[in-house]
Structures are given as structure tokens and as C-alpha cells.
Amino acid sequence: MARAERSLPAVSLTIPALDRRSDLRTVDLLPRLLADPATAVLRLHGDAARVTRDGADARVGLGAPRPDDASRLAFYLGEAEGRQHVGVVDDPAGDDDAGLDTLRQVGAHLDPLGASLFATTLALANWHRTHEFCPRCGSPTVPVHAGWVRRCTVDGSEHYPRTDVAVIMSVVDDADRLLLANGRGFRSGGMSVLAGFVEPGETLAAAVAREVGEEVGVEVEDVVYLGDQPWPFPSSLMVGFTARARGTDLRLQDDEIAAARWFSREELLAAIADGSVHIPGSVSIARRLVEHWYGGPIQAPETVSMR
Ligand SMILES: [Zn+2]
């Protein structure tokens, strides 16, 4: 059998297309950019943004700053295609959501710049929304450094955007079958690779082994890194691995895993075709891990429907 490729093909949201220019994040940057009609603004409504479609391709709609943007939460995103880009958190769309899409819906179809802008804006907005108060003293914090830091208004302590690291892994047995599981809270028939958060003091490889052991009772070896993906739902970085199982007996962690089983390639295709199994959407690194094991793209209905 051919040796598997040691990286994942075309993971959405991972092509760097933005020069973040952290050197420009000074106190006067946002007022200046929001007063300049040449600035490109990505406007977030709730967790959605304006997106235009052209066949299978999608582009994030960028507009000029508006007069009331100075009073909104905004952050500097970076430089690209000769323009400065700013994210602005606008009001939720309410019922008038025509033309708006979430990153989950369109992430697999966006151009690299649009994907970078949308993922960064969503991740920063999610962080700002939940860090309005100082973790040391409970006083209000305010955005500084062009939206990349929050500072306590009382003790001056500075707080930085957080990213929660998770491991996600294809587990393969000696017969080259793939382990897929239906987690509690998944839709009926929804099957994916295992994943879990890295704990403090733990390495990535140790987290892979611990999560697989906890969730399905399988020991793994040969843990190999394949790629990673920002996953701002709300604030994760998914780090993808493949690992070999030492055995095939499954002992499920009842409160997290509803079902799990080993699939050959033929079994998985048949289960997708008859509708008994739904695999993760093409925006996710989970889908790429399944396809990496499979050896090529898999045609399957999208689990998050397109507009
Ligand atoms: Zn404080």
C-alpha cells in the first residue's frame, strides 16, 4: 500500500492572505482608518456577514466605513491587495438577513482573503463579547492596540485574545479501517472523527492519546501531525492528527459518545449513499481527515445547507 500523504489537502480557512501588520496597531490607527473611505470594512451582524456568490465561489462583501462606526466595536485586520481592512461589529440582522451568511455556511467556498478576514473578525468579536470585565478585579475593560488587547479601566492590566487548542484525529486500525463516532448532541447518523480540548500542562500527542482512550477505550500509537485550522466557533484552533489503534475493541464513554464503529472505505461509501451516515461538512478539518484516510475527495450532502 502506498504511504499516506503527510499533510491534508485544501483545508478551508488556512491559506494566509492577510498581512496583519501588528506594527501599525497604534492608538490613532482605527480613528484614522474609519475616517478614510478607502478602508475596506468587513461588517459582522451577529455571526454573519454579507457574502456574494458566483457559482461555487463566494466573496465577502467589503464596504466603506460608516459615520457611526466610530462608536462600534472595531479592530484592525491588516493589509491586503493594497488596502487596509477593518472588522466592525454591527447590530445583529434580526429578520432582515438576506445576503448574510455565517462562516460555517460559506467557509469552504471563500477566496483566501475573504476566509482570513471572516475567520479573524469572528474570532476577535467572540473574544471581545466575553471579555468585557477584568479577570483580576471585575472592573470594565476597554479595547486598545487597534482592538487586539483589552485593558482594565481600574488596574491597567492587559488581556489578550485567547485561542483554545483542540486536537482532532483520524484513528485507523491494522486493517486500515477508520474509526468514526456519533457524539452526544450530533444529529442522527452524524459521524465524525474524535476530538477534544488540550488540557493545561499537556502535549498535543498526549491529548490525542488521552481523548481516544477516554472516549472509546482504544490505545493509540504513531501519532502524526497532518495540519491545523482556525475554528472560531467560538475560539478554537483545531490541530489535526492521524494515529494507529493498538486494538479494535470499543468501550464508549456514555456521556459523550452515543455510537462508534470502524469503517472500511467501501462500508463508509455505502453508508453515505444510503443516508445512514452523514460525514462532516467540507468547511471542516474533520472532513479533510476523513478524506485523507479515504485517499481522495468524498461526495456527500453538505451537513450545513447552503443558502
Ligand atoms: Zn482589573
Side-chain angles (χ1 to χ4, degrees), residues 113-217:
L113 176 58
S116 291
L117 293 169
F118 202 162
T120 304
T121 296
L122 184 59
L124 275 174
N126 288 338
W127 171 70
H128 280 285
R129 282 169 186 149
T130 52
H131 291 76
E132 294 182 340
F133 298 96
C134 176
R136 293 190 183 180
C137 75
S139 302
T141 58
V142 291
V144 292
H145 295 292
W148 286 87
V149 177
R150 292 189 76 94
R151 182 182 289 148
C152 176
T153 51
V154 171
D155 64 25
S157 60
E158 293 196 336
H159 306 279
Y160 290 79
R162 61 178 282 177
T163 295
D164 300 315
V165 179
V167 289
I168 181 164
M169 46 274 172
S170 58
V171 177
V172 179
D173 74 1
D174 283 341
D176 213 24
R177 294 182 303 170
L178 176 68
L179 178 67
L180 293 177
N182 178 259
R184 299 279 175 205
F186 285 20
R187 65 184 288 195
S188 173
M191 300 287 272
S192 187
V193 294
L194 299 177
F197 287 107
V198 177
E199 295 191 339
E202 193 173 47
T203 66
L204 296 169
V208 169
R210 177 182 53 75
E211 284 289 342
V212 177
E214 286 175 0
E215 294 191 341
V216 295

Side-chain angles (χ1 to χ4, degrees), residues 14-88:
T14 61
I15 301 173
L18 191 60
D19 184 347
R20 294 172 173 246
R21 293 297 305 267
S22 59
D23 57 308
L24 295 184
R25 296 173 191 166
T26 55
V27 68
D28 64 338
L29 178 67
L30 282 175
R32 189 161 52 76
L33 292 182
L34 289 175
D36 182 350
T39 299
V41 171
L42 191 160
R43 196 167 290 281
L44 196 66
H45 300 273
D47 59 357
R50 195 156 299 281
V51 170
T52 55
R53 296 289 185 76
D54 180 13
D57 297 328
R59 291 189 73 86
V60 169
L62 300 172
R66 296 177 186 169
D68 57 353
D69 285 345
S71 64
R72 300 185 187 281
L73 174 63
F75 25 80
Y76 176 59
L77 296 170
E79 211 170 79
E81 299 175 355
R83 299 176 81 187
Q84 299 294 349
H85 293 75
V86 171
V88 169

